[in-house]
Amino acid sequence: MSQHPAPRSAQILGIDPWVRHVLRCPVTGADLVDGTGPDGQPELVSSSEVNKLAYPVRDGVPILLESEARRLDA
């Protein structure tokens, strides 16, 4: 059985590729894209145009709680 290597972003965040593919913003339902927080730590950023949030990734685990999210105001 042939397996494709995980995308580099999934490897850096420590998230299995299949999990990374299904993750969505719990507030808006938008896709999440890889990002880096102001402290240099990895985060997942909502691709929503409205109510844009960034969720921290701690020890390879995305913390998808609105109370833990950082608001990204335009």
Side-chain angles (χ1 to χ4, degrees):
M1 180 162 106
S2 173
Q3 291 200 358
H4 299 284
R8 182 155 171 73
S9 61
Q11 292 172 345
I12 291 170
L13 295 178
I15 303 170
D16 286 339
W18 72 270
V19 173
R20 182 66 184 84
H21 179 72
V22 298
L23 290 178
R24 298 287 180 265
C25 174
V27 176
T28 66
D31 290 334
L32 295 169
V33 297
D34 299 333
T36 304
D39 58 358
Q41 295 299 311
E43 60 186 14
L44 294 175
V45 179
S46 171
S47 61
S48 174
E49 294 294 323
V50 179
N51 200 16
K52 198 164 193 164
L53 300 168
Y55 298 92
V57 177
R58 297 186 188 124
D59 298 323
V61 178
I63 310 300
L64 299 180
L65 299 171
E66 185 176 9
S67 62
E68 292 284 327
R70 182 170 62 87
R71 296 211 178 274
L72 302 175
D73 297 322

